[in-house]
Amino acid sequence: MPDRGGGPSGPRIRVGRPSRRVRTLLMTLGVLAVLAMLFVMFAGFWTDWLWYRSVDYSSVFTTTLGTKIGLFAVFGLLMAVAVGVNIWLAHKLRPPLSAMSMEQQSLDRYRMSVAPYKKWVLLAVTALVGLVAGASAAGQWRTWLQWVNAVPFGQKDAQFHKDISFYTFDLPWYRFLLSFGFAAAVLSLIAAALVHYLYGGLRLTSPGGRATKAATGHLSVLLGIFVTLKAVAYWLDRYGLAVKSSGLKSADGWTGLRYVDANAYLPAKTILFIIALICAVLFFATLWRRTWQLPVIGFGLMVLSAVLIGGLYPAIVQKFQVQPNEQAKEAPYIKKNITATREAYGIDGSKVKDYAGASDIKGKDKEKLRADAASTASLRLLDPNVVSPAFQQEQQVRGYYQFPSTLDVDRYKVDGKEQDTVIGLRELNLKGIPERNWINDHFKYTHGYGAITAKGTSTDKAGAPDFTEKKLPTEGMLGTYEQRVYYGEKTTQYSIVGGPQKELDHPSDQGETSYSYKGKSGVNLSNPVNRAAYAVAFGEPQILYSGAIGKGSRILYNRTPKERVESVAPWLTIDGDAYPAVVDGRIQWIVDAYTTSNGYPYASRTTLGDTTADSLTTGQRAVVAQQNQVNYIRNSVKATVDAFDGTVKLYQWDAKDPVLKTWMKAFPGTVKAKSSISPALMDHLRYPQDLFKVQRELLTRYHVTDPGTFYTGSERWQVPDDPTNEEGNAVPPYYLSMKMPDQQKQTFSLTTTFTPKNRPNLGAFMAVDADAKSSGYGSIRILKLPSETTVWGPEQAQSKFNGDTRVADQINIWKRGDSKVEYGNLLTVPLEGGLLYVEPVYMRGTGSNYPLLKKVLVNYGEKIAFRDTLDEALDEIFGEKGADAPTPPPPSGEPTKPPVQDATVKQAVKDALNAYEASQKALDNKDWAAYGKAQKELKEALDRVAKAEAKAGGEGSKPGS
């Protein structure tokens, strides 16, 4: 035989067959490798099951897993059968081999090479497409569960008069089925065409007919199925217009039909549906006619119709009917969009009232204004976004504890009266552990300790937080409660507790106290299979053989509140800010969760990651669902996570939400009734920030209900940038106990401001009743200022503050000593037809790493006060004359004092400044001896200045001076 390898001929080297020992070794290694891969897969599955069982939500695991497996099996099998049957049928319909053409001769070697393995090739191809299709279908488990458990909304859309549930639950599933059908038809068509070509049913270059009758009939049926699916797609596209996003210059994210959709695209889709059905019938008719002439003509007409009727005709209608009179043409559709959007985001009940915005004190009762300023709001001076370093400095105690960079605002009763309170948990900080190793990181340092609280409306004499719960263990207003924090926002590592290795409980004057976890949380590691599974899952082999693990050992992981709620309820969208509360002797993390949809007809869409971003989400707190685009949202679930044992509880908050009802049908027993919420927990529930930010963004446009005004955009607002933040991001909303003009008493509220589009002055003020116990919970009130009013917006107010002479001089004095000035939350409060601005000013002295409240800025109308306390500032604003008011010039003819120019006086002034800065440093460091010395030096310097001025005054009063 000639050498067909193309290489030189010569003696061949025969490689001997491996020895039996080598073959056995290789086979053993192969089996071990397969077993290792299988165990890695098993470890992931097994640890997930153990975790869900440990939190008593095993039904969530089994339901999601069973749904995924079912979808994978059904749709994978359907795809495999569809493609496999068509490959088999194409092979069965192959023509008998006749005179071989050049084309067939070239294909012959491929047929010969495939012939011995035809069954294996068929199995491999069908298995591959089945696996891909099954994996794709498994990803649709949410769509399937919503479709099969759908609960009607009880509302119909404005165009087709179908229940909203058709668009939110049914249409997504129908579209998936349609896409699956298209994929099956196209893959079957390609596979069948290849087989027909390989076995001579199709010919590209051979003389005679290009296709056998059998091949023609087979492929025509597949093309007919494809065109039939296209007809179904045209029909569903009609309903898709109600949830289609399109451009309207006055509305970002516009969704729903416009004039051209209702009058051009909608009839076009109906016509194309009919044409596609006729074309499909022509393809099926080739089974009898055995010619492609008519179906090809029909298909060509369908494509031409799609271009002319589906593309050109709508463009003509838009150009010549809509554009010349767009506002009038679009008005009915804008009205539908406004109505649907306001309903979908829960802002349809928002009340917009005109507000004078007249902050002029002249002609008003100043005493009444002063009294109202004190009673209208509990003006919070302790900014939770600024004072975390003060909590850290005063209450950290050890380096292995930490507080979050942004603290939380809640309400607690002090002496029977509800008070705004700033709260933070003392969580574990692994970076502060003196000696880092595996035992310390995961066995010894396992938990934080205690909740620290401070009054929101006052500070101590030094300007530090006025703590109402402090020390370690903590003491104060919270009473006795379980202080250990095993689950928290900063607790991201796993810990192994309850076994032979004791934990550090907390430091004390007598040394470190030990503790062994007694909670029910975590997964038991006594079982060697469990240990092996976690060793693989966490990539830590020491878990398998460490002597620190033994009887009673339990592994804790998934420890942040957000992680735990997301895991037990993967169908919920979680708010970016979980907050702690001490409830019935336990620290509970409260987590707000949302049901969302992207299929609410006519409601405009928004991207949650964009609308919930503000000046605090640039590293301080999380953003909800970064890329999640929705057009329906409800805060339908309130969840709690126990900080000690990690218990997760879900409570139904919105009993009317059909999306939540659908998920509760899919996962029965996972969500408790609203009536299960205890009164103690209800005291701490509040309106969630992320929902409020989504609503305020929509209300910049959708506070307008008149289509004409909406179209022109003349009343459009914007959320102002945070004037206290150098990054220039949106101002965050603020929790504040206050009363709006139509309210009789203060209510815990969430507030924000608006400015007119591209203008700095104030456009509106918005507040929502955030107290879950209130009968008006969730009521949105908006005070709209007249367009011609020039009430300062937040950025203008901050600019006016900074430009005030007294403020600028004091800030410069602080900065000379290398002190850092930080501005707190700029609070806005409606007051007697005007707006009151209040802003705390903090200073970090040299050598101090935490801010102290030093001054309070207050503005009402054109008046600005800059005082040590809020009361003093309000007195200055609303009093007859503030203590720091400018001294009027002397009456005409009276002598004036000459300026002090003496070098001795200049030195005395300089000494006074130096003594003041020294006293501030001593105050920051709580060095009372140094503070007393500096105060004495300051008094001496000021006495020298006073004597010099008295002397200069005496000289100035002499005759002829």
Side-chain angles (χ1 to χ4, degrees):
M1 291 292 289
D3 184 3
R4 298 182 183 275
S9 60
R12 298 183 180 180
I13 300 174
R14 296 183 179 273
V15 180
R17 187 181 182 186
S19 66
R20 183 174 180 181
R21 179 179 296 177
V22 172
R23 293 200 308 272
T24 303
L25 177 62
L26 292 174
M27 186 176 295
T28 303
L29 291 175
V31 171
L32 290 176
V34 171
L35 290 175
M37 288 189 293
L38 289 175
F39 188 78
V40 169
M41 296 171 61
F42 167 78
F45 162 80
W46 185 243
T47 53
D48 284 348
W49 162 248
L50 290 174
W51 186 85
Y52 275 98
R53 192 175 63 175
S54 73
V55 293
D56 295 328
Y57 281 91
S58 54
S59 62
V60 174
F61 179 80
T62 55
T63 300
T64 53
L65 181 64
T67 303
K68 290 177 182 179
I69 291 174
L71 291 172
F72 178 88
V74 170
F75 286 94
L77 185 62
L78 285 175
M79 182 65 77
V81 168
V83 175
V85 166
N86 280 284
I87 291 174
W88 172 82
L89 186 60
H91 180 266
K92 185 176 180 63
L93 297 175
R94 68 189 184 281
L97 292 177
S98 55
M100 299 292 286
S101 63
M102 292 298 294
E103 182 181 18
Q104 290 302 309
Q105 288 180 18
S106 65
L107 291 172
D108 186 53
R109 56 178 175 176
Y110 294 109
R111 288 194 291 264
M112 296 294 290
S113 60
V114 168
Y117 311 104
K118 285 191 292 188
K119 290 183 179 179
W120 292 109
V121 170
L122 177 62
L123 287 174
V125 171
T126 55
L128 178 62
V129 296
L131 287 173
V132 173
S136 176
Q140 298 293 322
W141 65 271
R142 290 181 177 86
T143 308
W144 161 260
L145 286 176
Q146 284 189 306
W147 179 69
V148 78
N149 295 288
V151 171
F153 275 64
Q155 293 174 270
K156 295 184 178 181
D157 75 284
Q159 181 67 38
F160 301 102
H161 307 294
K162 285 186 167 292
D163 192 89
I164 303 298
S165 62
F166 171 80
Y167 301 93
T168 55
F169 304 139
D170 298 345
L171 192 57
W173 179 249
Y174 297 154
R175 281 177 164 168
F176 164 71
L177 292 178
L178 187 63
S179 64
F180 179 83
F182 273 124
V186 170
L187 289 175
S188 297
L189 184 63
I190 293 172
L194 287 174
V195 173
H196 280 300
Y197 176 68
L198 183 63
Y199 287 95
L202 291 177
R203 305 181 183 91
L204 300 180
T205 60
S206 302
R210 298 297 183 191
T212 63
K213 291 183 178 180
T216 299
H218 184 196
L219 297 179
S220 294
V221 170
L222 291 175
L223 286 169
I225 293 173
F226 178 85
V227 177
T228 301
L229 292 172
K230 187 61 181 174
V232 175
Y234 281 132
W235 187 256
L236 289 180
D237 284 347
R238 297 168 67 254
Y239 301 109
L241 293 172
V243 291
K244 176 179 72 73
S245 292
S246 59
L248 188 71
K249 65 180 182 180
S250 58
D252 301 328
W254 170 279
T255 301
L257 284 83
R258 295 168 56 192
Y259 180 90
V260 69
D261 297 314
N263 296 277
Y265 280 112
L266 188 56
K269 296 292 184 183
T270 305
I271 294 171
L272 290 172
F273 164 73
I274 296 171
I275 292 174
L277 283 181
I278 295 172
C279 186
V281 171
L282 293 176
F283 272 109
F284 290 132
T286 57
L287 284 172
W288 297 276
R289 293 180 55 84
R290 302 296 184 179
T291 174
W292 280 351
Q293 184 176 5
L294 285 177
V296 169
I297 293 173
F299 189 77
L301 288 174
M302 187 180 76
V303 173
L304 183 62
S305 299
V307 174
L308 296 178
I309 301 175
L312 185 59
Y313 173 60
I316 293 172
V317 170
Q318 178 69 23
K319 179 72 175 176
F320 295 102
Q321 290 190 34
V322 179
Q323 287 186 7
N325 191 18
E326 188 174 40
Q327 182 174 339
K329 294 289 187 183
E330 299 290 10
Y333 305 97
I334 293 175
K335 183 65 177 175
K336 294 175 183 178
N337 174 267
I338 292 173
T339 301
T341 301
R342 288 170 64 88
E343 290 174 351
Y345 290 94
I347 57 177
D348 50 325
S350 58
K351 300 175 182 177
V352 181
K353 291 187 177 181
D354 291 332
Y355 190 69
S359 301
D360 191 356
I361 298 178
K362 293 179 181 179
K364 294 184 178 181
D365 186 339
K366 294 179 181 178
E367 290 186 6
K368 185 177 186 304
L369 277 174
R370 178 64 182 87
D372 288 345
S375 62
T376 295
S378 297
L379 294 165
R380 181 168 41 73
L381 301 179
L382 206 63
D383 186 348
N385 311 311
V386 174
V387 300
S388 178
F391 273 58
Q392 195 84 353
Q393 178 72 21
E394 297 285 337
Q395 299 297 326
Q396 181 187 19
V397 182
R398 292 289 189 274
Y400 47 80
Y401 291 131
Q402 64 178 326
F403 291 92
S405 57
T406 298
L407 304 175
D408 289 290
V409 178
D410 202 349
R411 299 134 295 154
Y412 286 87
K413 287 184 178 179
V414 179
D415 298 328
K417 184 179 179 182
E418 202 167 75
Q419 176 179 280
D420 288 2
T421 300
V422 176
I423 182 171
L425 296 193
R426 188 189 283 118
E427 294 191 47
L428 187 65
N429 176 25
L430 284 183
K431 294 180 181 178
I433 295 176
E435 184 68 31
R436 297 292 302 276
N437 55 58
W438 189 63
I439 293 295
N440 279 348
D441 286 0
H442 300 288
F443 291 81
K444 185 174 181 180
Y445 295 90
T446 59
H447 59 277
Y449 210 98
I452 303 300
T453 63
K455 294 179 181 179
T457 54
S458 63
T459 61
D460 65 14
K461 293 180 180 180
D466 186 1
F467 293 105
T468 52
E469 184 79 17
K470 56 187 177 181
K471 298 184 179 180
L472 178 66
T474 67
E475 302 172 0
M477 69 174 187
L478 298 179
T480 303
Y481 66 100
E482 174 55 69
Q483 298 190 18
R484 297 175 182 88
V485 181
Y486 281 89
Y487 294 88
E489 289 180 304
K490 299 292 184 181
T491 313
T492 56
Q493 80 286 353
Y494 70 88
S495 290
I496 299 175
V497 297
Q501 177 68 47
K502 296 295 183 181
E503 311 163 45
L504 166 67
D505 195 28
H506 63 82
S508 67
D509 295 338
Q510 290 75 37
E512 295 180 350
T513 59
S514 298
Y515 180 72
S516 184
Y517 184 68
K518 297 178 176 59
K520 62 179 181 178
S521 185
V523 177
N524 195 324
L525 291 181
S526 300
N527 187 327
V529 175
N530 291 358
R531 291 178 67 169
Y534 279 104
V536 171
F538 289 173
E540 182 49 72
Q542 292 187 78
I543 294 177
L544 186 60
Y545 55 78
S546 173
I549 302 174
K551 184 178 180 181
S553 291
R554 307 178 73 83
I555 185 167
L556 313 180
Y557 62 105
N558 285 357
R559 297 172 72 181
T560 68
K562 189 172 186 292
E563 278 181 314
R564 295 183 79 78
V565 177
E566 278 180 333
S567 297
V568 303
W571 35 273
L572 290 173
T573 299
I574 311 302
D575 190 273
D577 184 30
Y579 61 98
V582 177
V583 180
D584 295 325
R586 311 278 287 199
I587 300 175
Q588 298 286 347
W589 287 99
I590 300 175
V591 183
D592 285 287
Y594 309 106
T595 48
T596 61
S597 175
N598 193 30
Y600 197 99
Y602 267 110
S604 290
R605 290 184 171 89
T606 189
T607 302
L608 294 181
D610 295 335
T611 53
T612 58
D614 59 30
S615 62
L616 300 182
T617 58
T618 55
Q620 293 193 55
R621 62 180 295 266
V623 178
V624 58
Q626 185 69 44
Q627 301 301 324
N628 195 358
Q629 194 174 63
V630 304
N631 67 351
Y632 173 91
I633 185 169
R634 289 288 186 274
N635 176 214
S636 51
V637 171
K638 301 283 189 181
T640 61
V641 177
D642 192 290
F644 178 70
D645 62 22
T647 300
V648 182
K649 294 181 180 179
L650 307 176
Y651 298 98
Q652 182 183 18
W653 185 249
D654 187 343
K656 297 179 180 179
D657 179 26
V659 180
L660 177 60
K661 290 179 181 179
T662 296
W663 285 119
M664 289 175 69
K665 281 182 64 179
F667 296 96
T670 57
V671 181
K672 299 177 182 292
K674 186 176 182 178
S675 58
S676 301
I677 299 176
S678 69
L681 176 58
M682 188 70 77
D683 287 342
H684 298 280
L685 299 183
R686 68 188 192 189
Y687 201 82
Q689 287 190 64
D690 283 336
L691 176 60
F692 183 76
K693 286 190 281 188
V694 170
Q695 290 175 327
R696 76 171 177 177
E697 181 62 34
L698 269 296
L699 282 166
T700 60
R701 291 164 285 150
Y702 287 95
H703 67 279
V704 173
T705 55
D706 175 65
T709 307
F710 185 91
Y711 177 84
T712 61
S714 59
E715 292 293 326
R716 189 165 179 176
W717 300 332
Q718 65 185 18
V719 178
D721 289 339
D722 186 351
T724 66
N725 187 281
E726 296 178 357
E727 300 295 328
N729 296 308
V731 64
Y734 295 119
Y735 286 105
L736 186 69
S737 289
M738 59 164 291
K739 63 180 179 181
M740 293 288 275
D742 63 338
Q743 292 179 300
Q744 300 301 314
K745 61 179 182 179
Q746 291 185 17
T747 302
F748 191 64
S749 304
L750 192 53
T751 67
T752 191
T753 53
F754 297 106
T755 57
K757 186 70 173 177
N758 299 323
R759 292 180 60 196
N761 57 291
L762 196 66
F765 176 82
M766 172 180 166
V768 64
D769 189 336
D771 187 351
K773 304 186 303 296
S774 170
S775 58
Y777 173 83
S779 299
I780 297 174
R781 296 175 173 87
I782 301 174
L783 302 179
K784 179 181 177 296
L785 279 69
S787 301
E788 67 276 5
T789 301
T790 56
V791 176
W792 297 347
E795 291 177 276
Q796 286 178 310
Q798 188 67 55
S799 178
K800 294 286 187 180
F801 285 157
N802 295 341
D804 185 89
T805 305
R806 290 171 298 162
V807 178
D809 289 346
Q810 183 64 65
I811 298 299
N812 288 334
I813 289 175
W814 285 339
K815 288 184 177 179
R816 277 183 206 167
D818 295 326
S819 297
K820 182 180 178 183
V821 176
E822 295 183 36
Y823 293 100
N825 35 223
L826 180 58
L827 303 176
T828 309
V829 178
L831 178 65
E832 290 296 316
L835 278 303
L836 180 71
Y837 281 112
V838 177
E839 182 177 53
V841 181
Y842 297 86
M843 186 186 75
R844 291 180 189 243
T846 305
S848 171
N849 61 353
Y850 68 100
L852 297 172
L853 179 67
K854 290 302 180 185
K855 294 285 185 180
V856 179
L857 280 163
V858 176
N859 159 248
Y860 189 79
E862 295 293 324
K863 296 194 70 174
I864 292 175
F866 186 54
R867 289 299 208 154
D868 293 339
T869 68
L870 177 62
D871 284 339
E872 290 176 3
L874 292 174
D875 287 341
E876 179 177 336
I877 290 290
F878 300 114
E880 289 295 329
K881 177 182 175 182
D884 285 345
T887 303
S892 177
E894 288 190 12
T896 58
K897 298 180 181 180
V900 180
Q901 297 291 339
D902 190 86
T904 304
V905 176
K906 288 184 179 180
Q907 183 61 45
V909 172
K910 184 177 180 181
D911 291 344
L913 286 173
N914 291 336
Y916 173 77
E917 291 174 3
S919 68
Q920 293 303 306
K921 290 181 182 178
L923 190 62
D924 291 339
N925 297 326
K926 297 190 181 299
D927 187 346
W928 305 118
Y931 179 76
K933 180 182 178 182
Q935 287 291 307
K936 182 179 179 181
E937 292 174 354
L938 176 61
K939 184 177 184 304
E940 291 174 354
L942 292 175
D943 286 343
R944 298 205 311 270
V945 174
K947 288 178 181 179
E949 287 189 332
K951 183 179 179 181
E955 293 175 353
S957 64
K958 292 178 181 179
S961 63

